[in-house]
Amino acid sequence: MSNINDIAKQFTEYYYQAFDADRRNLAPLYRDMSMMTWESSQIQGAQAIVEKLVSLPFQKVQHKITTVDAQQSLPGVNAILILVTGQLLVDEETNPQQFSQTFQLVENEGFFIYNDVFRLNYS
Amino acid sequence: MSNINDIAKQFTEYYYQAFDADRRNLAPLYRDMSMMTWESSQIQGAQAIVEKLVSLPFQKVQHKITTVDAQQSLPGVNAILILVTGQLLVDEETNPQQFSQTFQLVENEGFFIYNDVFRLNYS
């Protein structure tokens, strides 16, 4: 399982660093078949997903990862399922919000994001 | 997408009602190939998973679902990815804990749980 956990750790660190630096950097991680659910909004395809991410109403954003759990996905498919929990700090807010995000990565000349589900956990 | 969301809603309602009534009721939802990660513990197989769930150190438990998001999983596989967020109240505690749980359901003469990742979100 260590290889899956290593990939998950590397992926999530890269993803949130890229997100926090410039959300447009995330485009290469998605493909046309990729799906994202962002707080119940369903979006498909790399271009529409990145447009959605860029349109989010904050300028500065910082993700802090709390946990990353990974499992091998379905048999016969080279895919990894990841559940991330963490904290999100936007703009000049001082109280972080908790978030949960599930990714399913599929390997096809490198891993890309097939499924992406994001939720804030309101207290 | 409505069918996927309907299945996800029915599944999660059934799952948490069964969990809260008697965790042994969950055995038929898992198979030998099923994987569960419970607060970083990795367990495989229906029997080991249910033993783990039954061994959890609380007598009374109540799940309250906050959100359920579902997506079609990988192409060519009849599978559904679900991210649940909610609150968990155990024994005589009065402060609920937040949780996140990701399921991947696979259809094979009915849906079963292939992937299950559970995390409490500590405040």
Side-chain angles (χ1 to χ4, degrees), chain A residues 69 71 98 100 102 119 122, chain B residues 37 69 98 100 102 119 122:
Chain A
D69 292 301
Q71 291 181 355
Q98 291 190 303
S100 304
T102 296
R119 272 286 177 185
Y122 302 101
Chain B
T37 306
D69 292 302
Q98 291 188 306
S100 304
T102 296
R119 272 285 178 186
Y122 304 100

Side-chain angles (χ1 to χ4, degrees), chain A residues 4-120:
Chain A
I4 285 175
N5 290 322
D6 290 347
I7 294 167
K9 187 166 180 292
Q10 286 169 21
F11 165 77
T12 49
E13 285 174 1
Y14 179 83
Y15 183 89
Y16 293 114
Q17 282 173 12
F19 193 117
D20 295 352
D22 184 344
R23 283 160 257 170
R24 289 171 296 185
N25 293 340
L26 298 171
L29 300 179
Y30 295 93
R31 306 245 172 123
D32 287 348
M33 66 185 72
S34 301
M35 287 174 273
M36 181 175 73
T37 306
W38 183 277
E39 288 285 285
S40 85
S41 296
Q42 299 191 359
I43 301 125
Q44 181 151 12
Q47 188 177 341
I49 289 170
V50 173
E51 284 172 5
K52 171 68 177 178
L53 294 175
V54 169
S55 76
L56 294 172
F58 46 77
Q59 300 302 313
K60 287 195 295 183
V61 56
Q62 189 184 350
H63 290 78
K64 191 177 163 205
I65 299 171
T66 306
T67 63
V68 177
D69 292 301
Q71 291 181 355
Q72 175 71 51
S73 293
L74 308 175
V77 184
N78 202 353
I80 298 175
L81 191 72
I82 305 172
L83 174 60
V84 183
T85 69
Q87 295 187 324
L88 188 70
L89 201 59
V90 301
D91 291 336
E92 309 305 326
E93 296 281 338
T94 51
N95 291 323
Q97 300 178 74
Q98 291 190 303
F99 73 91
S100 304
Q101 191 160 17
T102 296
F103 295 103
Q104 185 149 239
L105 308 184
V106 175
E107 183 159 33
N108 183 0
E109 300 173 10
F111 281 97
F112 70 97
I113 302 169
Y114 190 85
N115 299 101
D116 177 355
V117 185
F118 177 89
R119 272 286 177 185
L120 291 170

Side-chain angles (χ1 to χ4, degrees), chain B residues 1 12 19 25-26 34-35 37-38 40 49 57 74 78 82 86 93 105 119-120:
Chain B
M1 301 289 277
T12 49
F19 194 117
N25 293 339
L26 299 171
S34 300
M35 286 175 274
T37 306
W38 183 277
S40 85
I49 289 170
L74 308 174
N78 202 353
I82 306 172
E93 296 282 339
L105 307 184
R119 272 285 178 186
L120 290 171

Side-chain angles (χ1 to χ4, degrees), chain B residues 16-86:
Chain B
Y16 294 114
Q17 280 173 11
F19 194 117
D20 295 352
D22 184 344
R23 284 161 256 170
R24 289 170 295 186
N25 293 339
L26 299 171
L29 300 179
Y30 295 93
R31 306 248 172 120
D32 286 349
M33 65 185 73
S34 300
M35 286 175 274
M36 182 175 74
T37 306
W38 183 277
E39 288 285 286
S40 85
S41 296
Q42 299 191 358
I43 301 124
Q44 180 150 13
Q47 189 177 343
I49 289 170
V50 173
E51 283 172 5
K52 171 69 177 177
L53 294 175
V54 170
S55 76
L56 293 171
F58 45 76
Q59 298 303 313
K60 286 196 297 182
V61 56
Q62 190 182 349
H63 289 80
K64 191 178 160 199
I65 299 171
T66 307
T67 64
V68 177
D69 292 302
Q71 290 181 355
Q72 177 71 50
S73 295
L74 308 174
V77 183
N78 202 353
I80 298 175
L81 191 72
I82 306 172
L83 174 60
V84 182
T85 69

